């Protein structure tokens, strides 16, 4: 009954133009940070409508450098959702500051503005909302809180390249928008990330911090415009993107709307197929907003059905379907419990989701047969 080959979760669609561009890059002899990275930055800032875009080697690096550029460090607190990937909180820790968790809303899974409000102290310097699964966070409420308390906003847009909130693009509300081109994300460069901002000083600082803290980047240093000395102005990091990565990204970005449309079709087919199962479907897209359709998450209705979430995961892998869990809330992981004394019971909504959530494959690469295999496997998991 089940498919012969394993359907890899979040497998990216790679097409011939990016393969050719990577080969071209290798043959050019310029594989480091150079003209292709510059082009990806230009294309990306045009897509998002931001003044500046700086390409880096991950979204984690983008978050880290945004926090540093905002002047946040030891003694400062930054509010992040507990329902997110570890990188959101770890970037705060890498900057020497303390992540303060907030609960999420049960339906949207996005950070709860009321809980942000409760967590603000005189040490709070910033909020990092995550546009969860591609659904825009409640940016009106979050920006109002930030304004009232004079906080920076750094948007974690790892799931949200195409997301819009009330007609405005995700990543352009806050001081910084941070994006990921990791292999499972909506468009990929292998590893890769981007920061967008409208603040020239922030953009320059991030560029310098991302390449050893040197005052000029390698492209200018080795160009034919004449030798230039550099000065080290910070103890910087090695976070630059290279042209081999950007070679993939340029073509991926040119197909972003096509891929979005395909994932939207799959999303709608899943919604239709699962509407009578003992699951909670993803919450509907908010009016005037755009979902990026990054993750399709089902919540197993454990009150109505005997199987646990973990049994469901096993039943899916037995049927050769790759699945994910996004996420077990951060406050349930040993590091954050040990270091910040969080415990079970602290964030009821995030825990409720953590115990029920499963993500099933959603990628532009899925064929109609793949989608049918996923649907059949989900139905089998409840009926066997
Ligand atoms: C993937 C992800 C990141 C990290 O992205 P990288 O590019 O892998 O560093 C950060 N936040 C969230 C919510 C993510 O899903």
């Amino acid at each position: 009954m089940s498919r012969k080959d394993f359907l890899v979760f979040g497998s990216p669609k790679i097409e011939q133009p990016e393969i050719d561009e990577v080969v071209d890059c290798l043959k050019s002899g310029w594989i480091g940070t150079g003209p292709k990275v510059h082009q990806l930055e230009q294309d990306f800032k045009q897509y998002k409508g931001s003044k500046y875009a700086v390409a880096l080697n991950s979204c984690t690096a983008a978050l880290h450098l945004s926090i540093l550029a905002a002047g946040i460090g030891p003694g400062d607190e930054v509010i992040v959702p507990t329902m997110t990937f570890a990188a959101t909180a770890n970037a705060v820790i890498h900057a020497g500051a303390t992540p303060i968790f907030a609960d999420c809303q049960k339906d949207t899974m996005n950070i709860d503005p009321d809980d942000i409000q409760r967590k603000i102290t005189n040490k709070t310097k910033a909020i990092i909302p995550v546009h969860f699964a591609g659904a825009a966070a409640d940016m009106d409420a979050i920006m109002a809180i930030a304004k009232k308390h004079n906080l920076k906003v750094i948007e974690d847009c790892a799931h949200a390249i195409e997301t819009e909130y009330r007609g405005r693009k995700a990543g352009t509300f806050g001081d910084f928008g941070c994006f990921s081109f990791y292999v499972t994300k909506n468009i990929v460069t292998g590893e890769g990330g981007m920061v967008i901002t409208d603040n020239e000083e922030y953009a320059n600082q991030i560029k310098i911090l991302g390449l050893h803290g040197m005052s000029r980047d390698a492209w200018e240093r080795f160009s034919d415009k004449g030798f230039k000395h550099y000065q080290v102005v910070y103890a910087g990091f090695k976070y630059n993107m290279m042209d081999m990565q950007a070679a993939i990204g340029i073509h991926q970005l040119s197909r972003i709307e096509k891929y979005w449309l395909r994932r939207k079709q799959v999303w709608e087919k899943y919604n239709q197929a699962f509407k009578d199962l003992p699951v909670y479907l993803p919450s509907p897209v908010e009016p005037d907003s755009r979902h990026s359709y990054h993750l399709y998450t089902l919540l197993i209705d454990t009150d109505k059905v005997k199987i646990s979430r973990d049994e469901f995961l096993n039943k899916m892998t037995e049927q050769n379907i790759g699945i994910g869990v996004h996420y077990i809330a951060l406050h349930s992981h040993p590091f954050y419990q040990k270091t910040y004394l969080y415990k079970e019971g602290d964030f009821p909504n995030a825990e409720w989701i953590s115990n029920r959530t499963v993500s099933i494959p959603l990628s532009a690469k899925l064929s109609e047969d793949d989608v049918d295999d996923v649907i059949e496997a989900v139905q089998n998991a409840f009926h066997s």
Side-chain angles (χ1 to χ4, degrees), residues 81-118:
T82 185
M83 180 47 69
T84 184
F85 183 57
T88 318
N90 291 350
V92 175
I93 300 167
H94 296 332
T98 303
I100 302 294
F101 294 155
D103 206 352
C104 60
Q105 298 162 329
K106 219 166 157 179
D107 51 354
T108 66
M109 308 192 194
N110 268 315
I111 192 165
D112 176 7
D114 293 336
D115 207 34
I116 295 177
Q117 189 67 60
R118 282 191 285 272

Side-chain angles (χ1 to χ4, degrees), residues 186-199:
N186 288 357
I187 61 169
V188 306
T189 60
E191 299 284 359
M194 188 80 75
V195 184
I196 61 171
T197 179
D198 281 346
N199 181 315

Side-chain angles (χ1 to χ4, degrees), residues 56-63 81 83-89 128-133 156-159 178-185 190-194 294-295 326-327:
L56 298 167
N57 61 11
S58 73
C59 181
T60 309
L63 291 164
M83 180 47 69
T84 184
F85 183 57
T88 318
I128 309 185
V130 177
H131 302 290
F132 196 90
D156 182 338
C157 299
H159 300 177
C178 299
F179 296 83
S180 175
F181 309 129
Y182 176 65
V183 289
T184 59
K185 301 290 162 53
E191 299 284 359
M194 188 80 75
H294 174 55
L295 294 173
H326 302 89
Y327 299 92

Side-chain angles (χ1 to χ4, degrees), residues 224-236:
D224 53 13
K225 290 178 202 144
F227 187 87
K228 293 192 184 89
H229 288 285
Y230 62 84
Q231 290 186 305
V232 177
V233 292
Y234 297 103

Side-chain angles (χ1 to χ4, degrees), residues 215-228:
S215 59
R216 296 179 190 281
D217 69 20
W219 175 235
E220 286 183 58
R221 200 150 50 98
F222 297 111
S223 75
D224 53 13
K225 290 178 202 144
F227 187 87
K228 293 192 184 89

